[in-house]
Amino acid sequence: QVQLVESGGGLVQAGGSLRLSCAASGRTFNSYAMGWFRRVPEKERQFVAAISMSGGTTYYEDSVKGRFTISRDNAKGTVYLQMNSLKPGDTAVYYCAATSSSYYYLSTEYHYWGQGTQVTVSS
């Protein structure tokens, strides 16, 4: 089992940047692929980005390609989401998640979730 704690959210103006972090407990962090998701009120959770166990493969939702970068530091047990050129439409609660599945590009494959961190982008 793994526990996840996100940090780094906040209020930023459009065009600005934020970096989210997600710290994982346990000693088997590199056994999990990691993902970032977001949710706004009254809408379904949306996939944002995912990264393989080794960090060698990444996936992104189309609307964030070229603006967001997912990365991980297995020695620190942490996954990051660098968000640049933020838009008001990126406003959401962002969650990190972990899965031992090879199909980590599918949101249904994730077993462990953090509590979320709010990102608000003002226009």
Side-chain angles (χ1 to χ4, degrees), residues 41-80:
E42 301 181 352
K43 288 190 176 181
E44 293 186 357
R45 182 177 58 210
Q46 180 188 34
F47 168 78
V48 176
I51 189 167
S52 63
M53 298 173 188
S54 67
T57 302
T58 57
Y59 293 96
Y60 295 94
E61 193 272 330
D62 285 346
S63 70
V64 307
K65 284 180 181 177
R67 299 189 298 123
F68 291 11
T69 302
I70 188 171
S71 62
R72 66 188 296 161
D73 185 333
N74 284 346
K76 294 183 177 179
T78 303
V79 62
Y80 305 97

Side-chain angles (χ1 to χ4, degrees), residues 98-115:
T99 179
S100 56
S101 170
S102 297
Y103 301 99
Y104 55 91
Y105 46 87
L106 298 175
S107 60
T108 52
E109 295 294 306
Y110 284 82
H111 318 301
Y112 305 106
W113 295 84
Q115 82 289 349

Side-chain angles (χ1 to χ4, degrees), residues 1 30 38 41-42 55 63 65 74 82 84 87 92 94 104 107 120-121:
Q1 190 169 356
N30 59 1
R38 62 188 181 188
E42 301 181 352
S63 70
K65 284 180 181 177
N74 284 346
Q82 178 66 44
N84 299 328
K87 304 175 182 179
Y94 283 72
Y104 55 91
S107 60
T120 303
V121 184

Side-chain angles (χ1 to χ4, degrees), residues 25-41:
S25 65
R27 294 174 290 179
T28 59
F29 179 70
N30 59 1
S31 297
Y32 295 94
M34 301 296 295
W36 285 97
F37 298 79
R38 62 188 181 188
R39 174 173 278 168
V40 297

